[in-house]
Amino acid sequence: MKKSFIVNIKLITVLIFLFNSSIILNAQSGREGGGGGLSLRGKVTDDAGKALRGASVQAVWLRDSTSKKGAITDRDGKFSIDGLRRGEHRVEVSFVGFERYIKSINLSPDNNDIGTLKLKPGDVRLGEITVEGEIVRQEQREDTTIYNADAFKVNPDATTEDLLKKMPGVTVERDGTVQAQGENIRKVLIDGKEFFGDDPTVAIKSLPAEIIDKIQVFDQASDQAQFTGFDDGNSQKTLNIITKSDKGRGNFGKLYAGYGTDDRYWGGGNVNYFQGDMRLSVIGLTNNINQQNFAVSDVLSATGASAPNRPSFAGARGPGRGGGSARGMGSAADFLTGQQNGISTTNSIGLNYSDRWSEGMTFTGSYFFNLSNNDNVSLVARNFFVDPDAEQMYNETNAAFTDNFNHRLNARFDYQIDSSHSILFTPRINFQANDYNSNVDGITSFNSVDVNRTENDYQSDLQAFSIDNSLLYRYKFAKKGRTFSMQLSNNVNKNSGNTYLLSNNTIFDVTAVNQFEFNQDGDILGDGYRLNSELNYTEPITEFTLLQFSYNPSYTVSNSDKEVYNLQPGEENFRFLDTMLTNNFENIYFQQRGGLSMMYNKDKTNITLGMDYQAADLQGRQVFPFDAETNFTFGDFLPNLRIQHNLSKTTNIRFNYRTSTSAPSLSQLQNVVDNSNPVLLRAGNQDLKQNYTHTIMTRFGTSDFRSSSFLFAFGMLRFTNDYIANSLLTARRDTVIDNIPLFAGSQLSRPVNLDGYVNGRLFAAFGRPVPFLKSNFNIRSGVVYSKTPGLINDRLNEANNFSINSGVVLSSNISQNFDFTLSYSGNYTIVENSLLPEQNNNYFIHVANGSVNWILWGKLVLNTELFHNLYKGLEQEFDQEFILWNASIGFKFLENNAAELRLSVYDILGQNNSITRNVTEIYLEDLRTQVLQRYFMLTITYNLRRFG
């Protein structure tokens, strides 16, 4: 406790320093502010005087080239840039298809209107004499890729998701994940503003393609990094959707309802009200066919595949979609998109609002509600890398039922006080309740001989909430390049609930069969908080060189109290505490990080080099069932290097090297046994240390406007010291390990620190039009490698996974009335492990897809899609191929074809399946989950389109 008191004193001292710094700098701003608060107005048109919507306008203060502000032109081509300083500015205007425009203005209160800026057509329009109207598909500007939506023809009812599928370098997976240039899209902006928080699912599924003018793909830095200009490694792959000039005001959306065989139903819609800066969107959905219109925040890590009694099945496919995947171990996504294992019933609603409240204040906020019920029956075949003399298999049937209830609220207040000061406040609130019930029948065998069987009923009723707040203060001094920013953030979280386990277990001995039963209930209570601050100060050294001093202290406290009681058979309300399964644990992590970075920026080259030093103290204290303390102190140097070079306006290359550390989680540290599956026990390890990771990343992108081709390449290599791996102990006979009884065939898994983790990836994508087919051709290929260390019965095993994947897409660009897509994706994986090479395995999975959407006579709509799935090299009962065939016919009516009546058939052949292979350092497993099969659905849809 004395050490905790000292740490708290350190933290209080740091916070006092931060707030005093803020007061001092505010006082200094009155002396060095240099005036401010001016606005620059103007209008952008083509050389014929037609307004250009979505043009990018940037004003650069000539006294300080790092002082930049920008805006996007509205439907009338007008723009307004607020918070500028008095004096000479260089105004730069860029727009796809036109030459870059540069003009200077001496900004003052009496001279703040730059007038009309006319852009001349550039060389990005293709063959306007020989090929009438052909437009370039995409443009590469430094590290930003810009797609022209008009160059991709989609049907009139297409969504943003349908449009993205046609764009080179962009893929939309069948589980809804969007990837651009080999990386997952984490955020979607609408005209530069957040849309439903950080959830990319909503925009791509709800926004109609017809309102989109352009789509930008880039790495968005954190708010603090955007201000300082120094990359802090917290960038997110982002899509910015620029709407068309005549779609900025009006109402649009879609309402639909359908009912089908087997009591299948769905209904919902989205309505959007856009009036310039004020934008209001509402979405809703109810169905029992596994559809989800936005992501579900999983505070408890208890939804779907992450539920108790089941390890995380990376890459599991959602039922109702069919298909499957094969991936090694990976981190869970930030959100679940609803495509979970099993059959889900979903009721959800979402609201998004954004507006400019005053000259300097903008607001964006969103709210989500989700209520889902999931039923899933799964089959598991797991082969452990245990012993060359004994092949250990675990086969399981699990019937699981989950009710999940979730609220999510986030907001963003951006206040530009004047040209020097600004404040950004971003609060977030999450609440989740989860009820889970599983019935497991699992059998463990050695060399095809059964050694144990478990039949158990596990139930949990859990609740949790999490509150996050972040306050960012930014200040720009009068001196060129001198800035200060301070970010304060905190998190408060709490979870509670109870569990129940009834388990019947059988041990098959050579001479006898032994049986025993568990009848237990448990109480879980956990809470914690985190305080974090980050200070950055930049100082110019030369015209092209800038220094940054940074300091980042953080303080995290986590508590967990788990009590498990054994229920006495035959005696009502009698229970006694099981001390082996009961634990009370507190974890404190105090970290201080500071460093110096230098950035050189001239012409086409930007280089950033930095070195941080991090001192961290990790304390763990167990107070029950006995007192125990651990204390680790870490001191690490954390170098980083970033190089960006623009070979031309359309070609650039980037290199990034960074180091980082990561502390173990509370669940990994807490030394308590989880017996939700009595044959697969799990426990924590309070002796865990933080890991240290090196990450190297490089990117190359180029485009050719004349051929409208695009090439992108991406490479990543990551290796980790003190990687938190798994240690697996298997009991060949009844035994006791660390006071934990294990019966024959049962296992105990714990996290341990091991060196040697390596993960690498190469990815390349190329695309260009095929004129004689009036189609777009895209091809992508990649290699993924991972080496994951683990301990199996105290012996080191290194699982090496090497995967080669490739895919091609041919998508039509004929007309809005005829749309087809042909695609193929194949993945060949080699699995090798050092401990048991005789269990090495190679397997192959492919998915071939074809889809057609045809509108006849402007009224009749025919749609069909076909998926061929092939699995080779898996366990015998999972090694198969099947076809998923869907089709529909619809009829449009009312004015402007606003309504449609459609009859759809899902899984016409009744072959749909869901198969997944997962490979870890301790086992290889195949998983089959419950899926939706053939049903008919009659749906009526109404499209709302009122603009102007």
Side-chain angles (χ1 to χ4, degrees):
M1 295 302 294
K2 182 178 180 181
K3 292 180 180 179
S4 298
F5 175 78
I6 293 173
V7 170
N8 278 283
I9 291 296
K10 291 179 181 178
L11 180 65
I12 292 171
T13 303
V14 169
L15 292 177
I16 291 174
F17 170 74
L18 297 183
F19 284 109
N20 285 339
S21 299
S22 175
I23 294 172
I24 292 170
L25 288 167
N26 271 289
Q28 188 175 6
S29 69
R31 298 189 296 270
E32 297 187 84
L38 298 180
S39 297
L40 173 66
R41 300 188 301 273
K43 182 178 180 179
V44 178
T45 69
D46 60 15
D47 53 2
K50 181 180 178 181
L52 296 179
R53 167 70 184 277
S56 175
V57 185
Q58 189 175 69
V60 183
W61 192 35
L62 295 186
R63 288 180 58 191
D64 178 4
S65 62
T66 65
S67 179
K68 302 177 182 179
K69 289 185 178 294
I72 301 295
T73 56
D74 62 16
R75 56 176 296 198
D76 300 319
K78 296 180 179 179
F79 66 88
S80 178
I81 305 176
D82 303 323
L84 297 177
R85 297 170 180 264
R86 179 192 295 265
E88 288 287 339
H89 284 74
R90 184 177 71 251
V91 180
E92 302 177 359
V93 185
S94 58
F95 192 72
V96 175
F98 292 85
E99 294 181 358
R100 185 182 294 268
Y101 185 96
I102 299 177
K103 184 176 181 179
S104 298
I105 182 173
N106 189 2
L107 189 64
S108 68
D110 299 325
N111 185 30
N112 60 355
D113 192 334
I114 201 170
T116 300
L117 309 178
K118 292 187 177 182
L119 273 60
K120 297 180 180 180
D123 60 355
V124 296
R125 288 194 172 268
L126 304 177
E128 296 198 19
I129 297 177
T130 58
V131 185
E132 183 179 357
E134 188 173 350
I135 307 172
V136 65
R137 297 190 304 165
Q138 75 280 327
E139 179 182 359
Q140 188 71 28
R141 290 189 178 169
E142 296 181 353
D143 59 348
T144 300
T145 304
I146 305 172
Y147 296 95
N148 192 337
D150 290 338
F152 304 92
K153 293 182 174 61
V154 292
N155 68 76
D157 299 327
T159 64
T160 302
E161 182 178 6
D162 299 320
L163 179 63
L164 289 173
K165 290 179 179 178
K166 292 180 174 290
M167 293 181 170
V170 180
T171 59
V172 181
E173 302 294 334
R174 292 170 63 190
D175 61 359
T177 303
V178 182
Q179 288 190 342
Q181 303 164 353
E183 298 179 78
N184 288 346
I185 295 295
R186 299 296 184 185
K187 179 179 289 189
V188 174
L189 307 176
I190 308 296
D191 293 325
K193 298 179 181 179
E194 287 192 358
F195 189 70
F196 282 98
D198 293 333
D199 186 355
T201 311
V202 183
I204 67 169
K205 290 186 176 295
S206 61
L207 286 179
E210 66 178 278
I211 75 166
I212 300 175
D213 184 25
K214 293 172 180 61
I215 290 181
Q216 299 172 329
V217 179
F218 59 97
D219 291 314
Q220 185 181 48
S222 66
D223 293 300
Q224 195 164 24
Q226 290 180 54
F227 175 74
T228 63
F230 283 82
D231 186 4
D232 59 5
N234 296 320
S235 62
Q236 295 178 306
K237 185 65 72 174
T238 301
L239 278 179
N240 181 33
I241 299 173
I242 300 175
T243 57
K244 292 182 177 178
S245 58
D246 58 345
K247 300 297 191 291
R249 294 181 180 271
N251 309 324
F252 62 92
K254 178 171 67 175
L255 301 173
Y256 53 89
Y259 186 78
T261 56
D262 301 325
D263 289 327
R264 299 296 171 195
Y265 68 89
W266 79 322
N270 63 85
V271 178
N272 303 272
Y273 177 70
F274 283 16
Q275 287 296 324
D277 290 325
M278 199 287 287
R279 298 186 172 186
L280 178 65
S281 300
V282 180
I283 59 173
L285 180 66
T286 179
N287 73 92
N288 61 356
I289 56 172
N290 289 359
Q291 297 297 310
Q292 181 72 53
N293 53 3
F294 56 82
V296 180
S297 179
D298 191 17
V299 184
L300 287 162
S301 298
T303 305
S306 299
N309 209 23
R310 169 76 64 235
S312 177
F313 294 126
R317 291 296 184 186
R321 295 287 183 178
S325 67
R327 304 181 184 178
M329 295 191 65
S331 60
D334 295 332
F335 298 108
L336 299 173
T337 58
Q339 299 299 333
Q340 305 169 39
N341 300 324
I343 299 176
S344 294
T345 299
T346 300
N347 299 281
S348 60
I349 190 169
L351 173 70
N352 187 80
Y353 167 75
S354 64
D355 197 5
R356 178 183 292 272
W357 287 351
S358 65
E359 188 67 20
M361 169 67 81
T362 59
F363 171 82
T364 301
S366 58
Y367 165 75
F368 303 83
F369 166 77
N370 190 84
L371 174 63
S372 63
N373 312 101
N374 178 268
D375 297 343
N376 181 33
V377 177
S378 60
L379 301 176
V380 177
R382 186 178 303 164
N383 188 353
F384 288 94
F385 309 134
V386 177
D387 194 329
D389 299 325
E391 181 185 48
Q392 180 172 342
M393 291 291 299
Y394 176 75
N395 293 278
E396 176 188 281
T397 301
N398 184 1
F401 311 93
T402 307
D403 293 332
N404 192 71
F405 179 92
N406 181 253
H407 291 278
R408 185 163 93 246
L409 178 68
N410 57 66
R412 180 184 175 92
F413 300 84
D414 197 344
Y415 180 40
Q416 184 73 39
I417 302 173
D418 56 32
S419 61
S420 299
H421 304 262
S422 66
I423 294 176
L424 177 63
F425 178 52
T426 53
R428 301 170 185 269
I429 300 175
N430 282 283
F431 173 79
Q432 181 182 10
N434 183 276
D435 293 337
Y436 176 80
N437 182 15
S438 70
N439 295 282
V440 171
D441 185 354
I443 298 177
T444 303
S445 62
F446 286 152
N447 293 331
S448 301
V449 178
D450 295 344
V451 294
N452 67 54
R453 178 175 184 175
T454 181
E455 299 173 278
N456 63 71
D457 177 12
Y458 179 86
Q459 301 175 26
S460 64
D461 180 8
L462 308 174
Q463 305 84 38
F465 73 82
S466 176
I467 301 175
D468 293 88
N469 294 287
S470 175
L471 180 66
L472 174 61
Y473 169 75
R474 295 164 292 191
Y475 175 69
K476 189 182 293 292
F477 293 85
K479 183 178 180 180
K480 179 182 178 181
R482 180 182 292 173
T483 68
F484 173 79
S485 62
M486 176 176 65
Q487 184 168 16
L488 302 176
S489 60
N490 77 301
N491 167 269
V492 178
N493 61 83
K494 184 175 182 178
N495 62 81
S496 61
N498 55 74
T499 63
Y500 173 76
L501 173 65
L502 177 61
S503 177
N504 292 293
N505 302 276
T506 304
I507 310 301
F508 302 103
D509 202 346
V510 177
T511 58
V513 175
N514 301 314
Q515 292 185 319
F516 58 94
E517 180 180 273
F518 292 136
N519 192 0
Q520 301 171 337
D521 65 12
D523 299 320
I524 298 173
L525 178 63
D527 57 50
Y529 65 90
R530 176 182 53 82
L531 301 174
N532 183 77
S533 62
E534 185 172 354
L535 289 83
N536 288 302
Y537 174 81
T538 63
E539 181 70 24
I541 302 301
T542 68
E543 182 181 359
F544 308 109
T545 308
L546 198 65
L547 287 182
Q548 175 178 267
F549 302 89
S550 61
Y551 176 59
N552 173 212
S554 66
Y555 182 70
T556 304
V557 176
S558 303
N559 297 282
S560 179
D561 187 1
K562 179 181 180 181
E563 297 179 352
V564 175
Y565 295 87
N566 290 310
L567 305 180
Q568 189 69 30
E571 297 189 29
E572 188 176 357
N573 298 327
F574 181 79
R575 62 180 193 167
F576 58 92
L577 189 67
D578 190 326
T579 57
M580 186 188 73
L581 303 177
T582 299
N583 186 273
N584 186 294
F585 190 82
E586 178 188 51
N587 181 55
I588 298 175
Y589 185 64
F590 179 59
Q591 170 190 289
Q592 296 186 82
R593 177 171 175 168
L596 176 66
S597 300
M598 182 180 69
M599 181 175 69
Y600 173 81
N601 187 12
K602 184 180 180 182
D603 299 330
K604 300 179 180 181
T605 303
N606 183 294
I607 301 175
T608 301
L609 176 64
M611 175 67 76
D612 290 351
Y613 180 78
Q614 178 180 286
D617 186 28
L618 178 62
Q619 301 179 32
R621 182 183 179 188
Q622 177 180 283
V623 298
F624 190 89
F626 54 86
D627 287 338
E629 290 190 10
T630 58
N631 189 355
F632 294 101
T633 300
F634 307 98
D636 297 298
F637 287 98
L638 301 171
N640 64 85
L641 172 65
R642 178 178 178 268
I643 302 173
Q644 178 175 329
H645 181 67
N646 300 317
L647 301 174
S648 67
K649 291 182 179 180
T650 61
T651 304
N652 75 91
I653 187 169
R654 299 177 67 183
F655 173 86
N656 193 1
Y657 166 72
R658 63 188 299 257
T659 53
S660 61
T661 63
S662 178
S665 66
L666 179 63
S667 61
Q668 292 172 325
L669 289 166
Q670 189 175 16
N671 189 21
V672 61
V673 176
D674 176 3
N675 71 332
S676 54
N677 187 330
V679 300
L680 303 175
L681 303 177
R682 291 177 292 178
N685 179 2
Q686 64 186 36
D687 293 326
L688 288 177
K689 305 176 184 178
Q690 69 178 18
N691 59 36
Y692 187 102
T693 299
H694 303 260
T695 302
I696 301 172
M697 187 180 301
T698 185
R699 298 172 183 163
F700 172 81
T702 185
S703 59
D704 187 331
F705 300 126
R706 292 171 176 80
S707 65
S708 202
S709 62
F710 173 86
L711 174 64
F712 179 84
F714 168 84
M716 186 275 294
L717 179 63
R718 177 180 293 121
F719 50 97
T720 302
N721 296 326
D722 285 324
Y723 173 75
I724 300 179
N726 287 308
S727 173
L728 182 70
L729 296 173
T730 301
R732 298 296 300 271
R733 60 186 64 85
D734 293 352
T735 186
V736 176
I737 299 176
D738 294 337
N739 297 319
I740 301 173
L742 299 176
F743 51 83
S746 63
Q747 298 177 331
L748 174 63
S749 175
R750 278 178 167 166
V752 293
N753 290 114
L754 295 174
D755 291 335
Y757 174 81
V758 179
N759 178 249
R761 185 181 180 208
L762 294 174
F763 172 84
F766 172 78
R768 65 169 301 158
V770 184
F772 70 93
L773 292 177
K774 292 186 176 181
S775 301
N776 298 316
F777 175 77
N778 300 318
I779 183 171
R780 67 183 189 276
S781 186
V783 176
V784 179
Y785 170 75
S786 67
K787 182 178 74 171
T788 307
L791 291 180
I792 300 177
N793 291 336
D794 294 325
R795 292 186 297 173
L796 178 65
N797 181 58
E798 292 181 340
N800 294 274
N801 294 346
F802 183 82
S803 178
I804 303 173
N805 58 81
S806 186
V808 295
V809 178
L810 181 68
S811 57
S812 67
N813 212 21
I814 300 172
S815 73
Q816 291 185 331
N817 294 323
F818 184 79
D819 184 22
F820 74 83
T821 301
L822 300 174
S823 67
Y824 176 85
S825 178
N827 189 312
Y828 182 76
T829 302
I830 302 170
V831 179
E832 297 180 348
N833 65 89
S834 60
L835 187 61
L836 217 61
E838 55 267 28
Q839 291 192 13
N840 293 345
N841 178 261
N842 302 339
Y843 60 92
F844 176 73
I845 296 176
H846 90 199
V847 178
N849 166 244
S851 63
V852 176
N853 191 77
W854 194 4
I855 302 177
L856 299 172
W857 310 297
K859 296 291 184 181
L860 189 64
V861 183
L862 303 177
N863 178 275
T864 186
E865 58 178 353
L866 198 71
F867 298 89
H868 179 263
N869 301 267
L870 174 67
Y871 302 84
K872 288 293 184 182
L874 283 69
E875 292 293 328
Q876 184 174 0
E877 60 180 310
F878 296 88
D879 225 2
Q880 59 183 273
E881 61 179 311
F882 61 89
I883 294 175
L884 175 62
W885 182 19
N886 308 320
S888 67
I889 181 171
F891 179 76
K892 294 180 176 293
F893 57 100
L894 297 185
E895 184 179 358
N896 296 323
N897 291 330
E900 180 185 285
L901 186 66
R902 176 174 295 210
L903 177 64
S904 304
V905 188
Y906 176 80
D907 189 21
I908 296 174
L909 303 179
Q911 297 183 11
N912 188 30
N913 218 322
S914 178
I915 297 174
T916 305
R917 163 153 287 194
N918 300 297
V919 181
T920 76
E921 68 272 33
I922 57 178
Y923 63 76
L924 179 151
E925 89 174 355
D926 294 322
L927 167 71
R928 177 187 295 164
T929 57
Q930 187 177 357
V931 297
L932 282 173
Q933 290 192 323
R934 183 170 47 231
Y935 66 87
F936 293 77
M937 178 77 73
L938 184 65
T939 304
I940 185 169
T941 303
Y942 179 78
N943 289 288
L944 174 65
R945 300 289 189 272
R946 295 177 182 173
F947 295 103

